[in-house]
Amino acid sequence: MDKKTFAIAGLLAVSFSMTASAQQREKYEFERNLPVYADSLIADFKYPLAWGHSDIRDFDAWRRAARQKVFDCMLAPPPPPASGYDVKVLCEEQRQGYKARKLEIRLSRYYTVPAYVLIPDGKGPFPAVNVLHDHGGHLFIGKEKMIRPLDCEPADVKEDAQQWLKGYEGQFLGDYLAQHGYVVLSTDAPMWGERGQKEGARRNMYDIIAGNMMMYGVDLSAYMTYDDLAATEYLAQMPEVDELRIGCAGWSMGGYRAWMLAALSDRIKAGASVCWMVTADEQMSFKYDRTENGGFANCFPGLRRWLDYPHVASMACPKAMLFINGSQDKLFPVAGVEKAFKTMHDTWESQGAGDKIQTELWDMPHSCGQNSQQCILEFFKKHL
């Protein structure tokens, strides 16, 4: 190819790249971020394994079967570490009423996981809470969204955490709980914080990397849940922790992680979820201006063919569970929230545990402010 032809080809390539995003065909099959046949897919949601739909009438037997289906859809788990958690303490500092440590925990043979842990002063063992960070399309920090970064962290991490704290009305949930006598653990989820991408934190890469992970036969969202389960097992083994009084809590994706963990782990005795509960028929329809954007961050292949979100959360029954959603939250349509709440209340009532589930729909946007955090604290005081 001569220089003139090469230059023309280059100009054509640039021109094409500039116009490709605007090119449209007369016929199409996807609109916004949904298939045009979304309503037909929703109509086929029968949820045959949901409590009340399933032929299994014994609740404990149903939970075992439903859990197994969830684990099947989570694909292969990361292999456990060869010889224990191999915990390293990277730094430690004294705070007012509690110690803060940065750890590195080997949760799998494949990798170690950075974590913060807060331990109240005094004689334990103490009740404990695994606090689970949010998504927010912001991947630069993870555990630092829940617990104030230690002094050993870089300045940009500390500054970023303070900026992100606006969604929590200036209060770190983890530190707030530690000040009231709870051991608190928080870990980075895969792709967040110190488990991110070498090239830097970019939200648009999450789905691409999640797709690549599926080429290995594993699910990135499931790895997050598997790690939450393993981290809770580590928490239960800490000498400062009363293993019979362990809870979990989170906001947004952290709220999803909280009820998922409560559903799948017998270690969890009480769970609190803020701003993540809905039914799939409302979440994934064309009825609203905004539809699901979490994508691979809360996706287990094929699970919707068996169970909806509140059906999975119902596996936590008869544990104590708190759900807070906002009527002004644009991520979760109120109709879907109310349907999900009713499904869960029906399940708890069927097991004579209606007093153990607390659902709240507050006049608030997608947030976890100080009122929500106080409600979480009072809930754990009562149930842990």
Side-chain angles (χ1 to χ4, degrees):
M1 182 184 294
D2 59 31
K3 291 183 178 179
K4 182 178 180 180
T5 304
F6 183 82
I8 292 172
L11 287 172
L12 287 172
V14 171
S15 175
F16 178 79
S17 67
M18 293 174 66
T19 61
S21 61
Q23 289 181 310
Q24 293 177 296
R25 298 293 296 268
E26 184 178 349
K27 298 186 71 174
Y28 57 87
E29 195 165 322
F30 297 88
E31 182 180 356
R32 288 161 43 185
N33 57 355
L34 299 176
V36 295
Y37 46 86
D39 289 345
S40 297
L41 289 171
I42 289 170
D44 285 339
F45 284 159
K46 306 301 182 186
Y47 305 125
L49 197 51
W51 175 247
H53 298 187
S54 169
D55 292 336
I56 304 172
R57 300 304 179 200
D58 178 79
F59 194 80
D60 290 339
W62 169 79
R63 185 194 294 110
R64 288 193 295 270
R67 273 187 179 178
Q68 187 56 57
K69 178 57 68 176
V70 173
F71 282 123
D72 290 345
C73 293
M74 287 169 66
L75 305 182
S83 57
Y85 293 109
D86 188 24
V87 181
K88 296 179 181 178
V89 178
L90 303 181
C91 56
E92 178 178 302
E93 64 190 40
Q94 181 68 40
R95 296 183 177 176
Q96 189 169 358
Y98 58 98
K99 291 184 179 65
R101 291 175 184 160
K102 182 177 182 179
L103 309 177
E104 188 175 82
I105 312 170
R106 179 161 292 283
L107 294 184
S108 166
R109 180 163 50 85
Y110 291 158
Y111 49 77
T112 59
V113 174
Y116 288 159
V117 65
L118 307 178
I119 303 173
D121 295 342
K123 181 176 174 56
F126 304 98
V129 181
N130 188 349
V131 292
L132 307 151
H133 70 72
D134 62 70
H135 186 308
H138 187 68
L139 282 64
F140 181 66
I141 55 175
K143 60 190 178 299
E144 300 90 355
K145 297 179 178 183
M146 307 305 291
I147 292 175
R148 179 163 59 87
L150 275 71
D151 288 340
C152 62
E153 298 290 7
D156 57 346
V157 170
K158 298 176 188 175
E159 181 180 353
D160 197 74
Q162 286 297 326
Q163 288 295 319
W164 194 253
L165 206 59
K166 293 175 183 177
Y168 297 86
E169 291 187 348
Q171 181 170 272
F172 288 99
L173 175 59
D175 292 78
Y176 177 65
L177 293 173
Q179 289 164 1
H180 288 85
Y182 294 85
V183 172
V184 178
L185 176 73
S186 189
T187 59
D188 286 336
M191 284 294 288
W192 272 268
E194 295 175 281
R195 302 182 69 187
Q197 189 179 6
K198 179 181 179 181
E199 293 81 3
R202 292 179 292 173
R203 165 63 183 93
N204 66 326
M205 290 301 297
Y206 185 95
D207 295 343
I208 295 173
I209 290 174
N212 286 341
M213 293 290 279
M214 285 189 174
M215 296 297 287
Y216 296 109
V218 301
D219 181 83
L220 187 59
S221 175
Y223 264 38
M224 177 173 68
T225 299
Y226 282 127
D227 287 348
D228 290 342
L229 290 163
T232 303
E233 289 297 322
Y234 164 73
L235 185 61
Q237 294 183 21
M238 289 181 60
E240 299 92 347
V241 169
D242 181 348
E243 64 175 349
L244 299 180
R245 292 190 293 160
I246 298 177
C248 59
W251 167 57
S252 194
M253 183 183 77
Y256 162 86
R257 295 167 68 189
W259 58 254
M260 183 66 72
L261 178 58
L264 298 179
S265 172
D266 291 331
R267 290 287 190 186
I268 298 296
K269 303 306 178 187
S273 171
V274 180
C275 290
W276 213 117
M277 181 45 68
V278 73
T279 54
D281 61 342
E282 299 291 335
Q283 181 195 39
M284 302 298 293
S285 78
F286 281 109
K287 290 189 290 186
Y288 307 97
D289 292 336
R290 182 183 175 112
T291 49
E292 164 63 19
N293 285 326
F296 281 109
N298 56 276
C299 175
F300 297 166
L303 184 56
R304 285 296 80 74
R305 290 291 168 179
W306 299 95
L307 298 157
D308 201 357
Y309 302 117
H311 302 142
V312 177
S314 290
M315 286 183 239
C317 177
K319 299 174 185 177
M321 293 294 295
L322 168 67
F323 294 87
I324 303 173
N325 271 64
S327 61
Q328 306 305 315
D329 188 338
K330 296 180 180 180
L331 299 184
F332 300 101
V334 170
V337 174
E338 291 177 337
K339 285 182 186 178
F341 282 179
K342 182 181 185 306
T343 294
M344 294 187 296
H345 274 283
D346 287 347
T347 303
W348 263 259
E349 291 287 351
S350 76
Q351 301 307 302
D355 61 332
K356 292 294 186 65
I357 183 167
Q358 180 179 345
T359 57
E360 305 279 349
L361 187 60
W362 293 359
D363 182 15
M364 70 178 193
H366 193 70
S367 64
C368 186
Q370 294 190 21
N371 286 342
S372 296
Q373 295 186 41
Q374 183 179 358
C375 188
I376 291 171
L377 176 63
E378 295 304 319
F379 172 79
F380 284 141
K381 284 182 177 179
K382 180 178 179 180
H383 295 289
L384 287 183

